[in-house]
Amino acid sequence: MYISIKYMKLISTITALLLWTTVSVAQTERDACTSIMAGRLATTDGSVMTSHTCDSWYRTWMSIEPACDYPRDTVMSIYDGLMHTEHSGDLTGVKEKGTIPQAKHTYRFLNTAYPCLNEHQLAMGETTISGRDTLQNKKGMFMIEELARVALQRCTTARSAIELMGELIKKHGYGDSGECLTIADPKEVWIFEVFGEGPKRIGGVWAAQRIPDDAIAVSANIGRIGRIDINDKENFMVSDNVFSVAKSLKLWDGKEEFSFWKAYSGGNYFNEPKNYSVRELYIMQQLAPSAGFTDDMAELPLSVKPEQKVSRETLIRLLGSYYEGTDLSLSNKVDSVSVRSGREHKNMSGAMIANPWMRPDEIKMHAAALNDTTMENIRTVSVPWCAYSTVIQLRSWLPDEIGGVAWVSLDNPGQSPRFPIFSGTTELPVMLSICGMHRNRDDAALTHFRHANRLASLRWGRARQAMESKHKYFLDKAARELPFVENTWKGLSGKDATLFLNGYTSDFFASEIMAWDELSDKYWRQFWAGF
């Protein structure tokens, strides 16, 4: 048998490399998220959709916070630090930043690290767009997740949520870096971007733009809103200081046409004067291939009409993407590595550690062994350090309780399946009440998905078939059973209807936990002789 020199170089470092299985920063922008939005005329079923990948070390515990009534003169606390706690009662590192008057009545909502869905089908996704460092003022009361929480507790539409958040920012100040919320209800979806006013003023500046009903849009850690038409009230909402702050901070000369992203964001995280990078471009190219979007464009449109209407499965696929089949994919780079035995040549990429989410040291190893200077550390849409992800459907033709549904996954959305949580869900499985980021604990749901996903990544070429088969099973299960769930719920009432929704979420979730535990066992058996 003859083994190529390039392959021998790979083998010599595999053992040492596999000793380190902890997730590390593999690509640019670790603290990064992606959100895809779709208007009701752009989707296959008429639903409005927003989404989110929470790609960093944020809590994975989640809960359903019930609707409440409060006596007069009650106040509510606004916090910082809740996104890194281990369970709902954990106050480690949590600080109260201030208080505001409590509403007389608050709505039930799904309390994720970035709160995402309430009982009236109001939904949100999130991406951090950072912007200029000089804009942040940490003395502002509100971080972005607390703005989202208050809005979901008090609002029923995207417009009213934007109005409320604008009022809270003006009165109490915004203390976070540049942020984007993708805010949707059953009729429309908006992109909302907000920044501080700089160190001398506790306030904030923001703009929101409506995505056309027949269009999709993407936000992935870069300011996307450009030209603003303040006279078009149907499609734009802005803070009253949107121009004056830019002028006073010398971010706009007042002569050129005003661009929100140019003034407050300045460019992408590669310091390029653009309102997009790889993820935005890739997703819009996938959905509108004939639009002619290229990476040499000075500016990418905020939205585009997809050439084919998108479905829930479309967004799930795109959020799980790692550019397979394109020159951007890392795993494609090692397909040429082979072992020669007599006259037989076999592709060995499936038997090695090549995978779409390789760490920097793995990339260097492959590049050196293959003498390939083209291998780059490119940020994929799905990443292994993702905490959780949501794809949320909002459907105006159904009652709120069953019309709003968040399809949630934990860990890498390119590997993990999704389970449904409805607007009418009032109770979640116990395993979702514990964060799995702090330690390896079997009572945390994240652990069960992450074990199988990490093992699969070690031999992705060989392990992916089993994982992708199970992933498809749960996608098909959701599509097949959702009409049954809707019709069954309509035939029930009161407590019975609620128990049915709670039970369905619990059963769906439990079947996925079992499937991923079985995958973990399968991979350990499959690789019994070593990885």
Side-chain angles (χ1 to χ4, degrees):
M1 176 187 291
Y2 168 76
I3 302 179
S4 69
I5 298 299
K6 290 180 178 179
Y7 185 57
M8 286 296 293
K9 290 180 180 179
L10 288 173
I11 293 175
S12 67
T13 57
I14 284 178
T15 302
L17 182 62
L18 290 179
L19 292 176
W20 181 37
T21 57
T22 303
V23 177
S24 63
V25 180
Q27 303 165 71
T28 302
E29 286 296 287
R30 182 180 184 190
D31 294 331
C33 306
T34 305
S35 178
I36 307 173
M37 300 144 272
R40 58 185 178 83
L41 299 181
T43 62
T44 54
D45 66 350
S47 63
V48 177
M49 290 192 285
T50 188
S51 60
H52 176 213
T53 62
C54 187
D55 297 336
S56 190
W57 189 77
Y58 291 118
R59 65 172 169 91
T60 58
W61 69 262
M62 56 191 72
S63 62
I64 302 294
E65 295 301 315
C68 288
D69 293 309
Y70 296 93
R72 186 176 180 178
D73 297 328
T74 303
V75 297
M76 71 175 294
S77 296
I78 304 301
Y79 297 102
D80 183 17
L82 288 173
M83 293 199 298
H84 301 289
T85 51
E86 195 165 8
H87 50 80
S88 61
D90 180 14
L91 297 179
T92 305
V94 177
K95 298 178 181 179
E96 183 185 70
K97 296 200 71 175
T99 62
I100 63 172
Q102 180 60 276
K104 183 178 180 180
H105 178 78
T106 58
Y107 303 125
R108 182 178 63 249
F109 72 99
L110 175 54
N111 181 22
T112 43
Y114 293 95
C116 64
L117 176 67
N118 77 6
E119 62 178 289
H120 292 289
Q121 297 197 68
L122 175 63
M124 298 187 186
E126 180 274 346
T127 75
T128 300
I129 55 178
S130 297
R132 303 181 188 276
D133 294 339
T134 54
L135 291 173
Q136 187 173 2
N137 188 328
K138 294 183 179 181
K139 294 180 181 179
M141 183 186 296
F142 277 93
M143 305 297 281
I144 195 66
E145 67 274 12
E146 288 291 82
L147 280 174
R149 176 171 71 97
V150 175
L152 287 171
Q153 285 181 312
R154 301 184 182 192
C155 301
T156 60
T157 68
R159 288 177 186 265
S160 61
I162 293 168
E163 289 174 353
L164 174 62
M165 291 189 297
E167 293 169 2
L168 293 171
I169 290 167
K170 186 173 183 178
K171 186 172 183 179
H172 302 285
Y174 176 71
D176 215 334
S177 64
E179 282 282 353
C180 169
L181 293 176
T182 57
I183 310 172
D185 60 37
K187 295 182 179 179
E188 56 188 13
V189 58
W190 290 71
I191 182 169
F192 168 87
E193 297 180 350
V194 57
F195 301 88
E197 291 188 48
K200 294 183 179 180
R201 183 173 176 82
I202 301 174
V205 59
W206 57 271
Q209 185 170 347
R210 183 173 181 263
I211 306 305
D213 290 339
D214 62 353
I216 64 92
V218 188
S219 177
N221 309 118
I222 299 166
R224 300 280 287 121
I225 297 175
R227 177 180 173 272
I228 292 172
D229 184 353
I230 60 174
N231 296 315
D232 183 359
K233 307 296 185 184
E234 185 66 19
N235 295 298
F236 291 92
M237 300 171 68
V238 300
S239 58
D240 56 15
N241 60 354
V242 67
F243 302 125
S244 61
V245 170
K247 275 188 176 182
S248 65
L249 296 179
K250 302 188 185 309
L251 303 176
W252 176 53
D253 62 11
K255 300 176 183 178
E256 295 181 349
E257 182 178 53
F258 181 80
S259 168
F260 190 77
W261 74 262
K262 287 182 180 179
Y264 294 107
S265 183
N268 63 23
Y269 44 75
F270 293 119
N271 295 318
E272 298 172 321
K274 297 179 179 180
N275 70 337
Y276 68 95
S277 188
V278 179
R279 282 171 286 159
E280 295 92 345
L281 180 62
Y282 172 80
I283 291 170
M284 292 181 75
Q285 285 176 332
Q286 291 292 301
L287 296 178
S290 301
F293 298 138
T294 64
D295 62 4
D296 59 1
M297 297 176 66
E299 184 171 9
L300 193 67
L302 175 62
S303 63
V304 65
K305 183 177 179 179
E307 293 180 14
Q308 294 184 346
K309 291 188 176 184
V310 302
S311 63
R312 172 182 68 248
E313 291 82 3
T314 306
L315 266 61
I316 290 172
R317 174 179 59 83
L318 289 171
L319 291 179
S321 170
Y322 48 82
Y323 315 133
E324 185 171 33
T326 75
D327 291 338
L328 297 174
S329 176
L330 281 172
S331 57
N332 291 349
K333 297 288 187 179
V334 297
D335 285 346
S336 61
V337 180
S338 63
V339 172
R340 187 174 70 193
S341 176
R343 297 180 180 179
E344 185 179 8
H345 288 72
K346 295 182 179 180
N347 187 301
M348 293 297 295
S349 63
M352 297 187 300
I353 61 172
N355 69 79
W357 308 286
M358 289 189 287
R359 301 186 301 261
D361 56 344
E362 293 177 287
I363 295 170
K364 290 179 182 179
M365 178 188 70
H366 281 84
L370 300 174
N371 194 26
D372 184 357
T373 60
T374 68
M375 293 189 72
E376 294 183 68
N377 197 20
I378 299 174
R379 171 46 156 98
T380 49
V381 182
S382 65
V383 291
W385 58 82
C386 180
Y388 69 92
S389 173
T390 59
V391 172
I392 304 178
Q393 289 180 280
L394 310 165
R395 300 172 294 176
S396 61
W397 63 93
L398 290 169
D400 288 337
E401 293 90 337
I402 197 74
V405 55
W407 297 93
V408 182
S409 67
L410 297 172
D411 197 53
N412 188 345
Q415 298 175 300
S416 294
R418 293 178 183 268
F419 54 91
I421 301 176
F422 297 89
S423 285
T425 300
T426 63
E427 184 177 296
L428 297 178
V430 174
M431 290 180 70
L432 290 172
S433 66
I434 301 295
C435 178
M437 288 291 204
H438 294 257
R439 66 203 77 197
N440 186 45
R441 45 188 301 176
D442 288 338
D443 58 349
L446 176 73
T447 299
H448 295 261
F449 295 107
R450 184 158 283 179
H451 278 177
N453 291 347
R454 293 298 178 272
L455 290 173
S457 296
L458 290 173
R459 284 289 187 272
W460 184 241
R462 185 176 176 186
R464 63 181 293 182
Q465 183 175 357
M467 180 164 282
E468 289 174 347
S469 176
K470 288 194 180 290
H471 193 281
K472 182 179 184 302
Y473 169 80
F474 287 109
L475 274 179
D476 293 345
K477 173 182 170 68
R480 182 174 59 251
E481 293 180 356
L482 194 57
F484 162 77
V485 173
E486 294 161 3
N487 291 331
T488 301
W489 181 87
K490 290 177 183 178
L492 301 172
S493 61
K495 186 177 180 180
D496 289 338
T498 300
L499 289 174
F500 171 72
L501 284 187
N502 292 347
Y504 184 75
T505 290
S506 181
D507 290 346
F508 204 112
F509 168 79
S511 63
E512 291 182 341
I513 289 287
M514 181 180 296
W516 255 243
D517 283 347
E518 290 174 350
L519 280 174
S520 292
D521 292 341
K522 175 184 177 67
Y523 294 145
W524 280 117
R525 294 193 306 271
Q526 189 174 15
F527 303 127
W528 65 271
F531 289 97

